[in-house]
Amino acid sequence: MGRQDPALDTLLLPFAGGHLQWPPGEVLFLRARAGAALMPLPRERLVCEQSFRPEADALWRDGFRVREDGEDGGTRHPLVLLLPPRQRDEARALYAQALSRATDGGTVVVSLANDAGARTGEADLARIAGPVTSLSKHKCRVFWTRSGQAGGDAALAAQWGVLDAPRPVAGGRFLSRPGVFAWDRIDAASALLAAHLPPTLAGRGADLGTGYGYLADEVLRRCPGVSALDLYEAERRALDLARGNLAAHAGRVALGFHWHDVCAGLPNRYDFIVSNPPFHGQGNAARPDIGRRFIEAAAQSLHPGGVLWLVANRQLPYEQALGTGFGTVRTVAQRDGFKVIEARAC
């Protein structure tokens, strides 16, 4: 609750200013985030959907209901709130979903920061919904419309509704979808780490921040001594993809899929850990503290003599965390702005 979230504050501006009224019945909040602005709202009538575990955890802590995306069985709502992501295909799919999950004549309210594409988002919603009303504050823009009004484009909305659907990437080797990290390619940093992994990795391991499963797949292809691999991923949309992408390995290796915030620590101990940790939050702001916390969690979860294989942008300041948590640390490779590090636990 302590952090600033101008987009969330602006989302509720039309209600505070009397432009909109909070309706009776259950309100749906897509990509919901916790914050002080939510606290006065009726918890029993607000249903939050959030696939990013740290945000879901914050909502749970504040007493809000959080459920999996789309698990309401087709229920429609008189009011749908939305904080869209930056990725445009995913955002457009959410605009279409918000309209389809509102009752006829129901209200859809959206808020975006100006530097996150607020005007573009407003124009996108207007293309499929018809006339849109907007207000600006806190360097953000809130805009709203009504489902089923004249001037909307139902055919375009139907096209946009599947823009974030899973699809083949990397020559068909994986399924991925817009909004997932490096969704349409094999991430260059992860590929560099995979190329330097020793085939001697063995026993029980973990992949921290697994994404759609590329690095875990490389571990299982390259390291025949691996008997179990736990995949930790904060974004459930990515974890669901990883589950399918690694299904071919399930008969040989014990696989665990954990919708989990690594920054909260790990529940198990491991012989080895691999990771390409995130260094941004859900926005574009640099968050090297996330990578440092991944390193700390790895150090706390490795057996003595266990090893962490890590890739990171060369300029990221991880050396202190590595030096504090591990007995030996060596840089294995540096290329294209990335560094591959091997760190062995005491």
Side-chain angles (χ1 to χ4, degrees), residues 224-251:
V226 174
S227 59
L229 189 66
D230 283 346
L231 289 80
Y232 291 91
E233 173 54 50
E235 176 52 64
R236 182 162 40 203
R237 298 168 74 250
L239 187 67
D240 290 343
L241 292 164
R243 192 185 305 273
N245 288 332
L246 297 176
H249 300 287

Side-chain angles (χ1 to χ4, degrees), residues 110-250:
V110 182
S111 178
L112 273 168
N114 293 338
D115 61 4
R119 285 193 177 275
T120 298
E122 181 180 355
D124 279 348
L125 183 61
R127 287 183 64 186
I128 60 172
V132 170
T133 305
S134 65
L135 295 169
S136 295
K137 196 173 183 179
H138 308 305
K139 299 183 179 179
C140 298
R141 197 168 188 86
V142 57
F143 41 97
W144 63 94
T145 189
R146 297 198 179 274
S147 176
Q149 67 181 344
D153 189 334
L156 183 60
Q159 293 175 24
W160 284 9
V162 295
L163 281 178
D164 71 337
R167 67 201 69 179
V169 298
R173 180 178 166 187
F174 301 103
L175 286 181
S176 185
R177 63 192 303 185
V180 171
F181 170 70
W183 77 271
D184 58 350
R185 62 193 183 280
I186 291 174
D187 173 64
S190 294
L192 182 64
L193 175 56
H196 288 86
L197 290 176
T200 53
L201 292 180
R204 186 179 189 184
D207 178 8
L208 309 186
T210 197
Y212 63 72
Y214 162 75
L215 190 55
D217 184 68
E218 288 288 341
V219 168
L220 296 171
R221 288 171 181 262
R222 294 167 180 265
C223 307
V226 174
S227 59
L229 189 66
D230 283 346
L231 289 80
Y232 291 91
E233 173 54 50
E235 176 52 64
R236 182 162 40 203
R237 298 168 74 250
L239 187 67
D240 290 343
L241 292 164
R243 192 185 305 273
N245 288 332
L246 297 176
H249 300 287

Side-chain angles (χ1 to χ4, degrees), residues 38-53:
L38 283 192
M39 300 310 286
L41 300 183
R43 287 169 174 73
E44 70 280 1
R45 292 199 291 114
L46 185 65
V47 178
C48 301
E49 291 189 5
Q50 175 56 260
S51 59
F52 188 58
R53 187 59 188 258

Side-chain angles (χ1 to χ4, degrees), residues 257-299:
F257 297 89
H258 304 273
W259 184 44
H260 184 77
D261 179 8
V262 171
C263 294
L266 303 179
N268 300 310
R269 302 295 297 276
Y270 296 101
D271 300 304
F272 71 89
I273 291 174
V274 299
S275 186
N276 177 7
F279 56 93
H280 291 99
Q282 285 204 296
N284 275 348
R287 289 286 308 277
D289 58 299
I290 298 176
R292 289 194 293 267
R293 183 62 194 126
F294 270 51
I295 292 167
E296 292 167 0

Side-chain angles (χ1 to χ4, degrees), residues 36-85:
L38 283 192
M39 300 310 286
L41 300 183
R43 287 169 174 73
E44 70 280 1
R45 292 199 291 114
L46 185 65
V47 178
C48 301
E49 291 189 5
Q50 175 56 260
S51 59
F52 188 58
R53 187 59 188 258
E55 299 290 1
D57 286 345
L59 288 160
W60 278 319
R61 286 193 297 269
D62 285 348
F64 292 97
R65 285 186 290 163
V66 185
R67 67 187 183 196
E68 294 191 22
D69 296 358
E71 70 172 5
D72 60 358
T75 301
R76 301 179 76 183
H77 304 268
L79 173 63
V80 180
L81 307 173
L82 171 61
L83 293 173

